[in-house]
Amino acid sequence: MVVADKRDYYEVLEVKRDASPEEIKRAFRKAAMKYHPDRSSDVPDSEHRFKEASEAYEALSDPQKRNMYDRFGHTGLSGTAGHDFSRMRVDDIFSVFGDIFGDMFGGGFGGRRASRGVDLQTEVVLSLADVAQETERPIEFTRSDYCERCGGKGAEPGSDVRSCGTCGGYGQVERTSGMGMFSMRQVVACPDCHGRGNTFSKTCRQCKGSGRETRRRVVTVKIPPGIHDGQAVRLRGEGEPGEDGTVRGDLHCYVRIEPHPLLQRHGNDLLCEVPISFTQAALGAKIDVPTLKGKVEVSIPAGIQHGEMMRLNGLGLPDVRSRRVGNQIVRISIEIPRRLNAKQEELLREFAETEDKAVLPESKGFLDKVKVFLSGLHE
């Protein structure tokens, strides 16, 4: 039997006849990247060249087929069981070479895809003092993990394990829905092996064949200084394993910051409201102000007004990115006594007699403005 219209396989892959298996594999990767229709729509006859390279690789990557081809050419392979690439769609070819295209295209159109596992969430509670520095916390959580008895295979140790006859060991099958031009093809987990790619004669008695069991785990999370309430630290690979057990999900550790009894956070700055008496405000004083590093003595200047602010440099929180430290702001709150004893009232009245205005909280300038306003109402 003469096979016509076929180029020499070594010529197709552009390798020598004594090329090693690794050289043949690299040559096919190169040809696939060059001629795959999804990547080379501007290359004439790219789909035909891609199928041609795939057919050449299937023959030359198999030692027995390569030996037959080297001895008898294309005629030597005419009676062998192979794939008719001239009648296959491109996505079908991917299913044949799923191991190669899994590396190149993240799973390809066929073969067994790496299924990423489920992400998990947990919470850690910090004080405002913890936020000022890098903090480590042990986190205890539960997750679905590999069964210790069967190693996640689902088979009882020592049982007979076979490649799944439904999916051929790929762990996935193709499902078609709809009709005609509106039909859709979808790759789903194999219903018989549940994505594992194999079946077994006896299921694991510990996990009942699921390959999973709930397990407690303790990890240490490092929390960067300056983190904000609601932000999360991600621990890669601490989530649950995927269906095929190759790619784990992540653990997201969300931070909750407890309110401080005396300090309020505003970005990287801290605000502290400090009450003083009206005599301290009038005469000046030295007071102790609470900070995250302990109390700090602050000098209050004489004549300070209610609501005025003072800045304590470098006593705030670090920025989570730049690590630049903010400030602490001290806001003055002047307290007026609600009750006076006889001596205090007498002294205040003596002081009031020395003022050139009535004993009222308003300044003389404010009273003058009130007089002008009221005179305008009677005109």
Side-chain angles (χ1 to χ4, degrees):
M1 178 179 178
V2 178
V3 180
D5 300 327
K6 282 183 178 287
R7 287 201 299 154
D8 180 79
Y9 286 156
Y10 293 99
E11 178 185 344
V12 170
L13 296 180
E14 298 180 355
V15 295
K16 297 179 180 179
R17 301 192 74 85
D18 59 351
S20 66
E22 186 60 33
E23 289 175 324
I24 291 174
K25 189 173 183 178
R26 284 199 301 266
F28 176 60
R29 285 176 180 268
K30 181 180 178 181
M33 293 290 287
K34 183 177 181 180
Y35 295 120
H36 180 252
D38 289 348
R39 304 172 60 91
S40 57
S41 57
D42 57 337
V43 178
D45 206 21
S46 59
E47 184 173 339
H48 170 73
R49 287 179 175 266
F50 177 76
K51 292 180 180 180
E52 187 180 46
S54 301
E55 182 181 344
Y57 175 75
E58 187 196 20
L60 300 184
S61 63
D62 184 301
Q64 185 176 358
K65 290 182 180 180
R66 183 177 181 181
N67 181 53
M68 293 292 293
Y69 179 75
D70 288 343
R71 294 177 63 189
F72 304 108
H74 293 295
T75 304
L77 299 179
S78 61
T80 61
H83 296 278
D84 185 2
F85 286 93
S86 64
R87 298 178 182 273
M88 291 179 66
R89 294 177 298 186
V90 177
D91 51 352
D92 293 327
I93 297 176
F94 272 105
S95 66
V96 177
F97 298 97
D99 58 334
I100 297 176
F101 290 99
D103 297 334
M104 292 166 52
F105 299 104
F109 290 89
R112 197 170 181 181
R113 300 182 182 180
S115 175
R116 187 176 184 276
V118 176
D119 288 349
L120 301 177
Q121 295 182 8
T122 187
E123 183 182 78
V124 60
V125 180
L126 302 180
S127 68
L128 208 54
D130 294 329
V131 180
Q133 57 192 350
E134 184 177 78
T135 304
E136 292 188 358
R137 284 285 189 277
I139 302 297
E140 184 175 353
F141 61 100
T142 59
R143 70 183 181 188
S144 174
D145 215 327
Y146 302 115
C147 172
E148 289 186 338
R149 180 172 179 80
C150 67
K153 297 178 181 179
E156 181 69 18
S159 64
D160 185 21
V161 180
R162 297 186 179 89
S163 179
C164 177
T166 301
C167 64
Y170 287 115
Q172 295 175 326
V173 294
E174 190 176 90
R175 177 182 296 168
T176 303
S177 60
M179 299 179 60
M181 63 179 296
F182 298 104
S183 63
M184 297 181 61
R185 300 169 64 247
Q186 182 182 13
V187 177
V188 297
C190 175
D192 289 344
C193 68
H194 304 288
R196 286 190 295 264
N198 53 57
T199 57
F200 31 83
S201 58
K202 189 176 182 181
T203 60
C204 173
R205 68 169 182 260
Q206 184 166 318
C207 66
K208 310 302 181 185
S210 67
R212 304 296 178 89
E213 62 181 353
T214 301
R215 195 179 304 166
R216 299 183 70 83
R217 180 167 173 79
V218 179
V219 296
T220 299
V221 56
K222 289 185 177 181
I223 303 171
I227 196 166
H228 287 258
D229 188 90
Q231 288 186 323
V233 177
R234 179 170 61 180
L235 281 70
R236 295 184 181 275
E238 289 294 342
E240 296 182 352
E243 290 182 2
D244 56 5
T246 56
V247 184
R248 283 185 177 273
D250 301 328
L251 173 65
H252 299 267
C253 183
Y254 286 88
V255 172
R256 183 170 64 84
I257 302 174
E258 292 180 318
H260 194 278
L262 299 173
L263 303 175
Q264 296 180 0
R265 183 177 188 175
H266 292 268
N268 297 324
D269 293 334
L270 295 174
L271 176 65
C272 179
E273 187 164 327
V274 179
I276 62 175
S277 68
F278 72 98
T279 53
Q280 288 176 314
L283 301 176
K286 290 184 180 296
I287 62 172
D288 289 333
V289 174
T291 74
L292 292 179
K293 297 182 179 180
K295 64 181 181 180
V296 174
E297 187 178 73
V298 176
S299 296
I300 303 296
I304 195 169
Q305 300 299 303
H306 178 81
E308 284 194 30
M309 298 186 183
M310 304 177 66
R311 182 172 61 189
L312 305 181
N313 293 327
L315 291 181
L317 297 172
D319 185 86
V320 70
R321 292 185 176 86
S322 68
R323 303 297 172 91
R324 182 178 179 180
V325 181
N327 305 313
Q328 179 167 322
I329 308 300
V330 178
R331 183 165 61 192
I332 299 300
S333 174
I334 301 176
E335 293 186 334
I336 306 299
R338 295 181 181 274
R339 293 181 181 180
L340 298 173
N341 58 35
K343 181 62 174 177
Q344 290 172 332
E345 185 175 349
E346 179 184 353
L347 292 173
L348 282 177
R349 289 191 180 279
E350 289 179 4
F351 173 74
E353 291 176 358
T354 65
E355 294 183 305
D356 58 352
K357 55 186 177 181
V359 185
L360 293 172
E362 296 85 1
S363 66
K364 185 176 184 300
F366 179 74
L367 291 175
D368 292 339
K369 292 179 182 179
V370 172
K371 290 179 180 179
V372 173
F373 174 74
L374 292 176
S375 64
L377 293 178
H378 295 291
E379 290 181 357

